Amino acid sequence: MQRRKCSLTMALGLVVLLLCTSGVLAQEPCADVQPESCVTCHSGAGEKNHQAIYDQYSDTSSLELTVDSVTSVDNGAGAFDATMTVTIMKDGAPYIDKDGLPSLDQKRFYAVTYDSATRQYDNSKSFSNPVALGNGQYAVTAKGIAYDLNSSNGIAYAYVGDGALDTEGMTLYTDVSNAGLAFGDVTAYESAATVSGCEKCHGAPYMKHGYRAAAVDGLPDFAACKTCHYDTRNGGHRDWQILVDDPARYAEIHAGAAQTDAEKAQYAYKASVMNDTHMSHAMEFPYPQSMSNCATCHEGKLDMILTDANFKIATCKSCHPVTGPAEGTDSLRAPALTAIIPADMHEGMDLDTEDCQACHSAEADFGPVFSAIHTGYDTEIYADAAGTKYSEVFTTSIDTASLDGNILTFSFSAAKNADITALNAADIVPTVMVGLYGHDTKDFIVAAHGRDADRNRLLEYTAGAEHPRFTTVSAQDGSWEITADLSMWADKIAEGAIKRAEICVMPALKDAEGTTVALNAPSRTFDLAANAFDDGFY
């Protein structure tokens, strides 16, 4: 398979901005340089620069892997011995290693069974002891398995990696290949999550740990993940829950204190894909948006997750801490169950054993069903339960701008495009920012958010407020006209050091609970000399 375009959690990036002013590059005209190329300022970096390193793990892998077959035989002792055969190619030719793959940096081989009735994966087995069969084919074995793979439903999964790179944060490889083989009815398995959801933050194609793919040729999406995160495996990250319930205790544990038997029992969980993914994003670190925004990872599949069958404590505890600190969880984490479950109706219940569906189901018609509690859409981002974003309902545009002397006048307006919320465009409180570009570059010589000697923001202003350089000329029914006095930088504008301004509007709109909803912030580039918008500049 083609290896990942970007495997780092945050993609490497470097933009070098060259200011072509007098005295700079006197021996070379500015037209000949590449302002956004690393080699402009780092000509001696050669193959050691960021781009060269990036190129090593963003190209197509020279390794190709296929899983050919999985067989198992009765060993006569009440168990089965299994063999998996794989073929490895390198640069289009059979990969030959006379010692049985020891030279590969990464090589893992697994099989796991699947129960279509429960949609659960179980009995994961790791294969080892590779033996070369010739022509790039290898056999790996697993002995003493309690079941016959040939009469089971499940998958075989393998990955190989080679050429470790010197990178920070995780181990990456120049060559990675993943492959799988599905047998039985596992081919009908469909994950409730989407790989594209992972790729929104982690790069594409998504590779867990830098070399294990979520989408593997020959397997349903995320099935490969189930070889490690199978549904009956005991979880090992109880500290994630402790972190949210008792941060001070978490600090003690990470300083060397052992978890008590009571803590091990209280925070026990299964290391399924759901649990480890939810807990790491909801507890290990504060997720950058509400975990109730299920659509991020389950887009188009909310009907698979917001069902009565999923209304059980294991689902709730995958995102919510049970007790939480006395002062409550922070705003970026899910609230504790004890804070949101009505105590008078649940008093005396052991939620770990209680059948929530006895009350919370369409059949019971007593408590609210799962989809009524969670729509799958963050109410700060979405205006309704159908997935309509506030940024689609309300749009803001920068309409006009002109410069007269040192006074920049600009107007902007907001429109309501659908009548699905009681909020109105006239209720928007906008903040404007004007950044001044320097020397024909995309670098601000005057940053709007900076401050002057009196601690006022240089060119950032909330409409209607007092500011030494801004005035609200008019504000009515979702339309505004504002002036910005650029006199402080008149000399730089006159000499041409400042030629353009970036005008940005950040519209703020609050719902009935006082929560600011998510709207887009438009910006336009204005050419001060031409006295006109330059929409093609940035």
Side-chain angles (χ1 to χ4, degrees):
M1 68 173 282
Q2 190 178 39
R3 51 182 337 298
R4 52 198 165 73
K5 298 297 183 187
C6 178
S7 297
L8 289 172
T9 302
M10 306 291 283
L12 291 173
L14 178 64
V15 176
V16 178
L17 298 171
L18 179 66
L19 304 183
C20 294
T21 57
S22 58
V24 178
L25 294 179
Q27 305 301 316
E28 185 176 10
C30 289
D32 294 337
V33 303
Q34 298 174 304
E36 295 181 6
S37 172
C38 302
V39 296
T40 300
C41 296
H42 301 276
S43 57
E47 292 302 309
K48 298 298 183 181
N49 61 39
H50 287 283
Q51 186 60 49
I53 295 174
Y54 177 83
D55 288 343
Q56 291 181 73
Y57 64 85
S58 63
D59 60 359
T60 301
S61 174
S62 66
L63 288 173
E64 296 179 30
L65 171 68
T66 56
V67 178
D68 303 319
S69 64
V70 178
T71 59
S72 61
V73 296
D74 191 328
N75 64 11
F80 296 84
D81 295 339
T83 300
M84 182 190 306
T85 58
V86 301
T87 299
I88 304 173
M89 308 289 285
K90 184 175 178 65
D91 293 321
Y95 178 85
I96 306 299
D97 190 323
K98 62 182 178 63
D99 296 321
L101 304 185
S103 64
L104 288 176
D105 292 327
Q106 276 287 343
K107 45 196 177 292
R108 294 290 186 275
F109 312 93
Y110 299 96
V112 64
T113 60
Y114 173 69
D115 184 341
S116 58
T118 62
R119 299 186 75 251
Q120 288 196 332
Y121 289 80
D122 196 6
N123 301 312
S124 178
K125 297 298 177 182
S126 177
F127 290 67
S128 58
N129 303 313
V131 176
L133 302 180
N135 203 34
Q137 191 175 59
Y138 296 84
V140 289
T141 55
K143 297 184 180 297
I145 303 176
Y147 53 92
D148 182 2
L149 284 173
N150 292 128
S151 61
S152 300
N153 302 306
I155 67 167
Y157 167 56
Y159 63 88
V160 293
D162 207 22
L165 296 173
D166 184 17
T167 57
E168 296 181 3
M170 67 170 67
T171 303
L172 304 176
Y173 301 91
T174 58
D175 294 318
V176 173
S177 188
N178 289 244
L181 177 67
F183 42 91
D185 62 7
V186 73
T187 54
Y189 171 78
E190 180 186 1
S191 174
T194 60
V195 177
S196 61
C198 304
E199 292 172 348
K200 290 175 183 177
C201 295
H202 295 283
Y206 172 62
M207 305 283 280
K208 177 65 175 173
H209 304 300
Y211 44 84
R212 303 186 190 191
V216 176
D217 289 344
L219 300 179
D221 285 354
F222 292 106
C225 306
K226 296 285 191 173
T227 56
C228 287
H229 295 276
Y230 51 93
D231 297 289
T232 60
R233 174 187 169 188
N234 291 325
H237 290 289
R238 293 179 296 269
D239 54 326
W240 291 346
Q241 300 174 70
I242 296 173
L243 169 62
V244 187
D245 266 355
D246 190 346
R249 176 58 181 156
Y250 172 86
E252 292 176 354
I253 292 171
H254 274 254
Q259 293 181 24
T260 65
D261 290 341
E263 288 171 334
K264 292 177 181 178
Q266 178 181 353
Y267 296 108
Y269 75 100
K270 298 301 181 183
S272 64
V273 172
M274 179 195 76
N275 274 337
D276 268 7
T277 301
H278 283 190
M279 287 182 178
S280 64
H281 288 75
M283 300 176 185
E284 182 187 13
F285 59 88
Y287 195 50
Q289 61 182 238
S290 170
M291 283 296 292
S292 66
N293 197 33
C294 311
T296 298
C297 297
H298 302 277
E299 188 172 7
K301 297 185 176 183
L302 291 179
D303 58 332
M304 294 179 65
I305 64 169
L306 300 176
T307 64
D308 292 348
N310 284 333
F311 201 132
K312 48 191 175 184
I313 194 62
T315 306
C316 301
K317 288 172 70 173
S318 69
C319 291
H320 293 271
V322 176
T323 57
E327 65 274 15
T329 58
D330 65 63
S331 60
L332 292 178
R333 287 192 167 97
L337 292 177
T338 53
I340 60 176
I341 294 179
D344 56 340
M345 299 184 67
H346 298 80
E347 186 176 1
M349 290 186 181
D350 181 356
L351 296 181
D352 285 324
T353 59
E354 195 71 41
D355 179 12
C356 302
Q357 297 167 52
C359 294
H360 297 278
S361 66
E363 291 77 13
D365 194 24
F366 181 73
V369 297
F370 199 13
S371 58
I373 296 175
H374 286 293
T375 65
Y377 297 106
D378 183 356
T379 56
E380 294 184 26
I381 301 173
Y382 295 90
D384 61 16
T388 308
K389 292 183 177 181
Y390 278 109
S391 59
E392 298 168 336
V393 178
F394 297 97
T395 54
T396 306
S397 62
I398 300 169
D399 305 317
T400 68
S402 63
L403 183 67
D404 184 4
N406 293 316
I407 303 300
L408 176 64
T409 302
F410 54 96
S411 65
F412 55 95
S413 57
K416 184 177 182 180
N417 305 312
D419 193 21
I420 60 174
T421 172
L423 303 180
N424 293 296
D427 298 324
I428 289 175
V429 178
T431 293
V432 298
M433 297 193 298
V434 180
L436 304 180
Y437 292 117
H439 306 283
D440 275 325
T441 71
K442 300 183 181 83
D443 191 23
F444 289 129
I445 196 171
V446 177
H449 198 60
R451 295 183 184 273
D452 61 19
D454 296 321
R455 304 300 296 162
N456 297 303
R457 296 292 183 190
L458 291 176
L459 288 170
E460 180 179 332
Y461 167 70
T462 300
E466 292 187 3
H467 194 284
R469 284 170 289 281
F470 283 95
T471 301
T472 298
V473 177
S474 64
Q476 187 174 7
D477 298 329
S479 295
W480 295 264
E481 181 177 316
I482 289 177
T483 63
D485 187 348
L486 307 183
S487 299
M488 281 183 64
W489 306 279
D491 56 340
K492 293 185 179 296
I493 295 172
E495 70 185 25
I498 294 174
K499 296 181 181 179
R500 296 176 181 85
E502 190 71 17
I503 303 170
C504 174
V505 177
M506 297 190 299
L509 181 61
K510 295 185 177 181
D511 63 17
E513 285 72 41
T515 301
T516 301
V517 300
L519 303 179
N520 288 332
S523 70
R524 294 184 73 179
T525 305
F526 184 77
D527 189 314
L528 300 174
N531 212 342
F533 286 115
D534 185 2
D535 291 324
F537 177 71
Y538 198 86

